[in-house]
Amino acid sequence: MYQKFNKPVNAALHLILVLSITACASQNKFFDTLDYNKDWETIQSNLPAYPQPENLLEFDSGPATSLRYFIDAKSISVDEKRVIRYSIVIQSQQGANNVSYEGLRCETRERKRYATGNNDIRSWVRANTSEWQPLEAVAQLRAQRELAKYYFCPRGLVVGSPAEAVRALKAGVHPMVIR
């Protein structure tokens, strides 16, 4: 009796194992369309114009900071892989600016820096490290967490267009979010 019961169970377990392996193998690996296997010149040609003061939209990055955070409205894009890209300007109380071009993946709650700004020549420079980082793993990414939670990834979803992201920034929060 044990052998009769054991054969169907073994067959079912074998089938489950084969289906699991097939499902894992068929999943698409995420490749970032902006910079995957591309040289800097190609990436640079796809970067937005350097941020202009008249295009900056300030957003609230939480109470525990003396810095001001802005997104360049003209730089926001949402691609077919649902990556939101934008230029962010971080301003100190003394008026010094740090500028970078970044991406957010709402699905995985990750951020990537593609380029940093050179304010002297108002141009982009390749980021030293350009890897996807979990937003929760890096304490310095508080502004990006707030940006994802309240503006670009409401309830874990991605905004459908740059216009929707701009509306959320102008309103101070995405309409799907209760602050």
Side-chain angles (χ1 to χ4, degrees), residues 2-29:
Y2 175 73
Q3 289 178 347
K4 287 182 183 178
F5 177 73
N6 201 15
K7 282 185 180 182
V9 170
N10 282 339
L13 290 173
H14 185 266
L15 179 62
I16 290 170
L17 178 65
V18 168
L19 290 175
S20 298
I21 291 171
T22 304
C24 290
S26 67
Q27 288 181 346
N28 292 337
K29 183 167 172 68

Side-chain angles (χ1 to χ4, degrees), residues 19 23 34 37 40 56 62 64 78 80-81 91 149:
L19 290 175
L34 180 72
N37 280 341
W40 173 241
L56 298 181
V78 183
E80 69 280 352
K81 295 213 174 187
Q91 189 177 74
K149 184 175 180 179

Side-chain angles (χ1 to χ4, degrees), residues 59-65 69 135 138-148:
F59 70 96
D60 182 5
S61 65
T65 183
Y69 294 86
L135 290 174
V138 183
Q140 292 83 359
L141 298 180
R142 177 191 357 255
Q144 287 82 350
R145 283 192 296 275
E146 295 291 309
L147 193 61

Side-chain angles (χ1 to χ4, degrees), residues 57 59 71-73 75-78 82 84-88 102-106 144-162 164-169 173-174 177:
L57 300 173
F59 70 96
I71 298 296
D72 177 11
S75 71
I76 300 171
S77 67
V78 183
R82 306 190 52 80
I84 303 165
R85 294 192 183 86
Y86 55 89
S87 298
I88 186 169
E102 302 181 352
L104 274 177
R105 289 184 63 206
C106 298
Q144 287 82 350
R145 283 192 296 275
E146 295 291 309
L147 193 61
K149 184 175 180 179
Y150 294 111
Y151 303 96
F152 291 172
C153 310
R155 297 185 180 172
L157 304 172
V158 65
V159 291
S161 68
E164 182 182 350
V166 167
R167 282 192 303 273
L169 287 163
V173 68
H174 193 281
V177 176

